[in-house]
Amino acid sequence: MERLHDLDIAVSLPERFTFPFCYEPHPAVVKAAEEVQQYIASVPEWQEEINKGKMFGVLIVEDAKGRKGFLAAFSGLLADSNDHPYFVPAVYDMLQPDGYFKTHEEEISNINQKVKALESSSERKHFMELLEKQKTEAAEAIDAYKTEMAEAKKRRDWIRAESSNTSTQQPANHSPLYGRGAGGEASLIHESQFMKAELRRMKKRFAESIEKTESQLTIINNEIASLKQQRKQMSDTLQRWIFNQFSMLNALGERRTLTEIFAETTMGIPPSGAGECCAPKLLQYAYDHSLKPLCMGEFWWGESPVGEIRHHRHFYPSCSSKCKPILGHMLKGLDVDDDPMLRNWNGELKTIYEDEWLAVVNKPAGLLTTPGRNNMPSVWSIMSERWPDASGPIIVHRLDMATSGLLVVAKTKEVHQLLQQQFEQRTVKKRYCALLDGIPEKKEGEICLPLIADLNDRPRQKVDYENGKEAHTLYKVVEARGGQALVHLYPITGRTHQLRVHCAHQQGLGIPITGDELYGTRAQRLYLHAAELALTHPVTKSIMAFKKEKGF
């Protein structure tokens, strides 16, 4: 079995399989990953592609005879292929030259070419330019004639006024001026009626001309719309067909298609690329070949994607949007590690300040701010028990579960609203302490990187200049030693994971916070602490400042 690679495993293997969404890679996984890294670095023709960034994975397995080894996989395609002998193949290979997918993909490509040809055709361009010219000429001509009509009306009004003045001053037997009498007034009325009718005729002529051009352009646009609709229907049908070809196994021998798996999720349908990540490929191959999965890990190779944060050779959890539903099925029948995020917290929540309206607490790392899954303890649940008569949401702002530090909570709905207004208006002053896995080049400065949720990999955030929300942080290096730096961070805005991303992203400090398993490397804890908080008391209007330094 050429896809199964030998591995000299000198350490005991885990009794339970890796929880893929939060894990510390087993030493056997690290060693297998090093072998994969040596291999991919030895293939010259791959270097340009993989150095741009790609996820790889390893799975430690055991066969029926007790032989242990590892399988390797890559996410998506490598060198425009699904199949390379060193790696496990795709769950379903869509790239077979004469296969269903390639045949229908070519049909869709042909429609794309027709659409592009029609959209850029000289005939369509001619009618679009002609229509624009006709509309411009019509508007200018009608405006000019309306101006002429207004001037004519002024002249008629003047004639009528002059005629009226003259008639009151002349003897009864004096002959009338032009405009007086039935004949003169009739001429003025006739002129007015004629000009109004001419305006209607002018508008009609222009409308008929424009309508003729629009109808000719509509014929082409309708053809484009029809082709696009046909393309969409064909794409949707092909996509559904593909998802049904991905028949995913689990350790119980049960099979479910991606369509069936995602039908039970809030998404309803699988996202593009589902089933093509490392973890599903590795598990599928293991089950197909009667190999027992023991532990696994996925690592990044190459540059970080634009907007995201990935570090060369670092291990990462499986993605949420694509892999979580799939692995929820594929891991059935395996004894899997518990989700470490669901471990009960049994520490103490200390109060720094309290009065009849609010309190400030020192949240420890590992405690949720608001209720999460499985009724885990949170600041909200603890304070709700302490304050059974409290009204309102209690929680005014949030700290990540892994972040420690000062948090203000409210006892009444009114106080909660007044405090939230201060956060929204950015009048609350905050300072965080963070330990970085490196030393910034500049000792102080500011970071402005707009952030948005990574919908394909929650709860990660990514930098997005087009759709992201403003995120602004000031920083100052306080101490540097042993290759690490203690920094003070001053968030001006309060976006999710703002400080973590601003530190780790290459366009920020380019140095992750120590222990940040999402954007850096896992450690004993996330070394980020909310050390200082200053705000105005919503009732007494006094300035309140709190400080709780954290010794790293």
Side-chain angles (χ1 to χ4, degrees), residues 48-334:
E48 182 177 356
E49 177 183 348
I50 64 176
N51 286 338
K52 293 178 181 178
K54 180 169 283 293
M55 193 72 78
F56 292 85
V58 292
L59 175 67
I60 309 299
V61 295
E62 181 181 21
D63 66 15
K65 296 180 179 180
R67 174 197 172 196
K68 297 177 178 64
F70 73 89
L71 304 172
F74 53 84
S75 179
L77 301 177
L78 179 57
D80 295 322
S81 175
N82 272 321
D83 195 10
H84 296 279
Y86 187 87
F87 300 98
V88 300
V91 176
Y92 173 72
D93 187 359
M94 297 180 289
L95 303 183
Q96 301 168 19
D98 298 321
Y100 183 94
F101 174 79
K102 294 299 289 183
T103 300
H104 287 74
E105 183 186 47
E106 185 176 355
E107 293 175 356
I108 295 172
S109 295
N110 290 337
I111 292 177
N112 279 335
Q113 292 175 6
K114 291 180 181 178
V115 169
K116 289 179 180 179
L118 284 171
E119 287 180 334
S120 60
S121 67
S122 58
E123 184 181 19
R124 183 169 182 262
K125 183 179 180 181
H126 165 72
F127 286 129
M128 290 176 67
E129 291 175 348
L130 177 60
L131 182 62
E132 187 67 25
K133 180 181 178 182
Q134 288 174 330
K135 288 181 177 180
T136 300
E137 290 178 348
E140 290 175 351
I142 290 171
D143 286 344
Y145 194 70
K146 284 181 177 179
T147 300
E148 184 180 341
M149 290 176 67
E151 293 297 326
K153 183 178 184 303
K154 288 181 182 178
R155 180 177 54 79
R156 290 195 299 273
D157 290 343
W158 181 83
I159 291 173
R160 288 188 175 103
E162 287 296 309
S163 176
S164 176
N165 291 336
T166 303
S167 66
T168 58
Q169 296 170 7
Q170 292 176 343
N173 61 352
H174 195 278
S175 57
L177 295 172
Y178 172 75
R180 286 190 64 199
E185 180 63 24
S187 177
L188 296 177
I189 293 173
H190 175 74
E191 180 186 73
S192 174
Q193 291 174 338
F194 175 83
M195 296 192 83
K196 289 178 181 178
E198 180 60 21
L199 178 62
R200 290 193 295 270
R201 288 190 291 269
M202 180 184 293
K203 287 182 177 180
K204 184 178 180 182
R205 288 195 302 271
F206 281 123
E208 288 173 348
S209 177
I210 289 172
E211 183 181 2
K212 182 179 178 181
T213 304
E214 284 180 333
S215 66
Q216 293 170 316
L217 182 60
T218 298
I219 293 173
I220 301 174
N221 286 339
N222 285 345
E223 186 176 358
I224 292 172
S226 177
L227 285 170
K228 286 183 175 180
Q229 180 63 25
Q230 182 185 357
R231 179 182 64 187
K232 183 180 185 304
Q233 291 175 349
M234 291 178 66
S235 296
D236 291 346
T237 300
L238 182 58
Q239 191 69 74
R240 288 193 298 270
W241 182 88
I242 291 169
F243 290 147
N244 286 326
Q245 306 314 301
F246 282 79
S247 180
M248 316 306 293
L249 273 166
N250 62 24
L252 301 175
E254 300 168 338
R255 286 185 178 273
R256 299 192 76 192
T257 66
L258 293 182
T259 302
E260 294 170 331
I261 290 171
F262 280 87
E264 299 175 357
T265 69
T266 55
M267 287 183 281
I269 59 174
S272 178
E276 298 182 67
C277 295
C278 298
K281 285 183 178 182
L282 291 165
L283 290 170
Q284 186 82 355
Y285 187 87
Y287 295 145
D288 269 334
H289 293 82
S290 301
L291 299 171
K292 180 183 178 181
L294 300 176
C295 53
M296 66 164 290
E298 296 173 273
F299 65 88
W300 184 261
W301 182 279
E303 298 178 1
S304 180
V306 176
E308 298 180 47
I309 299 172
R310 292 286 189 272
H311 299 283
H312 185 51
R313 298 191 180 192
H314 281 210
F315 284 88
Y316 290 92
S318 297
C319 64
S320 297
S321 65
K322 296 178 185 178
C323 290
K324 203 158 195 174
I326 298 172
L327 297 184
H329 161 70
M330 298 189 80
L331 293 177
K332 289 180 180 178
L334 293 181

Side-chain angles (χ1 to χ4, degrees), residues 447-462:
I447 305 166
C448 297
L449 297 175
L451 302 177
I452 191 172
D454 187 343
L455 300 180
N456 290 325
D457 200 7
R458 291 182 182 274
R460 288 178 179 276
Q461 305 292 305
K462 61 182 181 179

